[in-house]
Amino acid sequence: MEIIFWLLAILLSLAAGYWVYRADRKRAVPYPWLTSALRAAVVFLTCILLLTPLIIVKKNDTQKPVVLFLQDNSESIATALHRDSVGYRKNAEELLKKLGGDYRVVKWGFGNTVQKDTLFDYRQPATNISQAITEAIEYYGQQNLGAVILATDGRFNEGSNPPFQDLAYQGSLYTVAIGDSAMQKDLRVSAVYANKTVLLNSQFEIKADLVADGCEGYHDRVRLREVNGGTSEDEPLNITTEAFDKTVAFTVKADRIGLHHYVIEAPEVEGEANTNNNRKDIFVEVVSEKKNILLLAAAPHPDINAIRDALSGLESYALTIKTADAIPADLSGYQIIILHALPAGNQSQTVKKPVWYIVGNGTNIAPINQAQVATLNVNTLNLQNNFAQYNTSFNAFTLPPNIHAVMDKIPPLASPAGTVQPAANALVLFSSRSSKQPLWLLEQRREPQALLIGEGLWRWRMYEYRYFKSHQVVDELIRQTISFLAANVNEVPFRVELSKYIWSDRETVSFGAYLLNASNEHVNTPDVQLVVADSAGNKQSYDFEKSGDAYKINIGTRSSGTYSYTAKTIYDGKSYTASGSFSVQNMPVEMMESGANYPMLYALAKKYNGSLVPSGQITSLYDSIRLNNIIKPVIQSREETIPLVDWKWYFFLILLFAVAEWLLRKYWMAQ
């Protein structure tokens, strides 16, 4: 169509020019070709304005490559740089200034979170390298992200192992190694393991993983002691190699009902600079009877065997498994209920007990929505694969120490398609990597609830054993979920609870209290007083706040140490008392390991077409980036449609030709 418009404009303008030429020759105009040409130009430009009001213009934009500088701002960097921090910052800023001439430079800081406005303060309490890289690529991946410069010591304590990530990134990643790669003397208690609840008069084990670097020739004893008296045991520790690890086990007799606080300590090595990681605390509750768990399943399923195997050997629980066609009429003898793929069809079981819902194929979600742990809008007849990622800020219980490595290898859950909206107080343990929607949730209330949206725990156990020769992480997640549900299951008329017994000195410590009347109903009519004492005997008194039909209080942060508490109330003329203890620790997770992890940084740079340089040579990255053929500008072509009526000069051009013709005629007396 455009060609026809142009041809029509040309024909009309030629016709008008010819007509003027013939007329001006008869009038003896000195230069008739000039007036005819001006008339043809006016007609042509006017036709173009009328017939083609839009003009398409092609433009080319040159997009500079983005160079994103990721600076580790965690506390360990301040220690790694020490006196070199000023010189390092100067060199880093010099590099970024030089790069700014040819590239679009973006500067981010990171630790446990990404900071887009702060660099070089080194105050973040933890390090999550994988999250920082992922956010950078997601944010700038479509904007010609040519290079990522990662300046860190390579020590991470949150998130997954960076070289194990598979990111859709075609640029280059350069690593700047901060700190000394030389091995430093360090003996640490890396993890401790024990059942959270054990049966009275039973024997149970407390295990600890010990790791040592550069401590060859060390001979001493690792000690287990109970705070405020009781158990005290030790095990010999002889370190014979530079890189050493060992698991020690202590057998303890559960001879008293209540909460027991144990400490495992490894004496410091001569010349060891970091002793923050030589101790671990652990709490174990001794109960007088087993808690009965009923697992109801819509049909036989491998997940049922996975849960049974995870709970086997725990003396504090007795597990009974039933299918949907054999549901007991009386559930009063069970303290915890697990519903696998139930309710199903038109079933609508609602249980006023701690319940773990496991959503599977055909689950009826209406009763689950009534339980209010989450609002599900899903189709349980349409299951899809969902890879799970754990929530690094989850704090309802301590996550297994090797969880980040295991989750990198775990297969997906079979989850229903749809949306999930967690309740306001729900704690998300796992969420979907792709949709970020919750997959595993827990909610603390009078009857605690847990929700797993998907099937496949049996595959998780199988893959963990395939790669790590144990079921430790998956089994611990199952056990901790059951322990969470069992926390409130008792017949004590008055009790005080903490969501956990080991707190960081950066966290606010909160308590909950519950009072039962003669009918085992929750009431909170009387006032409840709380007294908290530190190890020196200094006491502080508080009054619980009434919340719903229970009590709660937040006593703020506490300095590191061991604390005891006593709560008292009077109801119906009877006095009730509940007591216990908790520990507050200065948890410098950044100091749990020292030195730079050069192998990890080298592997990461190699995977993404980059290279590693020590922090003292950071300015040399300018030449590496400039000579990298992968990092180059991108020319983007775009078309703009411009209306001719917006071009004012166009009207002036038509007017100029018309006025010129009129003046010439006037001058030549042609009219």
Side-chain angles (χ1 to χ4, degrees), residues 72 76-77 79-81 151-156 176-184 593-602 612-615:
D72 189 343
S76 65
I77 299 300
T79 303
L81 287 172
T152 178
D153 57 5
R155 298 293 185 185
F156 62 93
V176 180
I178 300 175
D180 190 358
S181 64
M183 185 180 296
Q184 303 179 23
E593 296 183 78
S594 55
N597 189 349
Y598 275 64
M600 189 280 285
L601 295 176
Y602 175 77
L612 177 148
V613 297
S615 59

Side-chain angles (χ1 to χ4, degrees), residues 22-36:
R22 290 187 60 186
D24 285 352
R25 282 193 64 183
K26 292 178 180 180
R27 295 171 185 164
V29 170
Y31 304 103
W33 59 268
L34 181 57
T35 54
S36 67

Side-chain angles (χ1 to χ4, degrees), residues 155-174:
R155 298 293 185 185
F156 62 93
N157 35 60
E158 290 184 1
S160 58
N161 195 339
F164 292 165
Q165 288 181 286
D166 289 320
L167 302 172
Y169 177 51
Q170 302 301 319
S172 297
L173 190 149
Y174 297 90

Side-chain angles (χ1 to χ4, degrees), residues 29-90:
V29 170
Y31 304 103
W33 59 268
L34 181 57
T35 54
S36 67
L38 290 172
R39 179 65 62 87
V42 171
V43 173
F44 179 76
L45 293 176
T46 304
C47 288
I48 294 299
L49 181 63
L50 296 175
L51 299 176
T52 314
L54 297 178
I55 297 295
I56 298 176
V57 178
K58 288 187 177 181
K59 293 186 177 181
N60 294 326
D61 294 328
T62 301
Q63 187 179 34
K64 286 184 177 182
V66 175
V67 175
L68 180 57
F69 181 69
L70 282 175
Q71 173 61 52
D72 189 343
N73 262 342
S74 60
E75 295 172 346
S76 65
I77 299 300
T79 303
L81 287 172
H82 195 42
R83 298 177 181 177
D84 296 333
S85 59
V86 175
Y88 167 74
R89 178 172 181 172
K90 180 180 178 182

Side-chain angles (χ1 to χ4, degrees), residues 556-578:
T557 58
R558 286 289 181 272
S559 57
S560 58
T562 301
Y563 294 80
S564 61
Y565 64 86
T566 302
K568 295 181 179 180
T569 189
I570 299 175
Y571 180 61
D572 279 348
K574 294 182 180 180
S575 296
Y576 297 95
T577 302

Side-chain angles (χ1 to χ4, degrees), residues 83-200:
R83 298 177 181 177
D84 296 333
S85 59
V86 175
Y88 167 74
R89 178 172 181 172
K90 180 180 178 182
N91 291 336
E93 290 177 340
E94 179 185 343
L95 168 67
L96 298 178
K97 184 178 180 181
K98 290 176 66 177
L99 290 172
D102 301 316
Y103 308 95
R104 179 188 169 195
V105 176
V106 179
K107 297 173 283 187
W108 284 6
F110 73 93
N112 57 330
T113 59
V114 172
Q115 304 167 297
K116 299 181 181 179
D117 56 356
T118 305
L119 264 72
F120 310 115
D121 65 351
Y122 316 129
R123 295 180 182 177
Q124 291 266 340
T127 306
N128 192 333
I129 297 176
S130 59
Q131 178 190 18
I133 298 174
T134 300
E135 284 194 29
I137 293 174
E138 287 179 352
Y139 197 90
Y140 287 102
Q142 303 301 318
Q143 303 181 42
N144 191 19
L145 179 59
V148 175
I149 302 174
L150 176 67
T152 178
D153 57 5
R155 298 293 185 185
F156 62 93
N157 35 60
E158 290 184 1
S160 58
N161 195 339
F164 292 165
Q165 288 181 286
D166 289 320
L167 302 172
Y169 177 51
Q170 302 301 319
S172 297
L173 190 149
Y174 297 90
T175 53
V176 180
I178 300 175
D180 190 358
S181 64
M183 185 180 296
Q184 303 179 23
K185 282 189 176 183
D186 187 31
L187 172 60
R188 59 188 178 273
V189 182
S190 63
V192 291
Y193 312 97
N195 295 335
K196 298 297 181 287
T197 308
V198 297
L199 199 61
L200 180 65

Side-chain angles (χ1 to χ4, degrees), residues 579-655:
S579 60
S581 64
F582 62 93
S583 175
V584 177
Q585 299 179 352
N586 180 1
M587 295 183 178
V589 294
E590 285 294 298
M591 301 305 296
M592 292 302 162
E593 296 183 78
S594 55
N597 189 349
Y598 275 64
M600 189 280 285
L601 295 176
Y602 175 77
L604 187 61
K606 183 179 180 181
K607 181 175 181 179
Y608 294 105
N609 310 308
S611 59
L612 177 148
V613 297
S615 59
Q617 302 174 20
I618 186 172
T619 54
S620 66
L621 285 179
Y622 175 75
D623 291 331
S624 300
I625 294 174
R626 186 173 57 85
L627 297 175
N628 190 336
N629 293 327
I630 298 177
I631 308 170
K632 52 189 176 183
V634 172
I635 298 176
Q636 293 183 334
S637 296
R638 56 188 175 88
E639 292 184 347
E640 287 188 4
T641 302
I642 303 174
L644 279 179
V645 293
D646 290 347
W647 288 356
K648 294 181 180 180
W649 61 266
Y650 193 85
F651 290 95
F652 286 112
L653 186 63
I654 296 176
L655 182 62

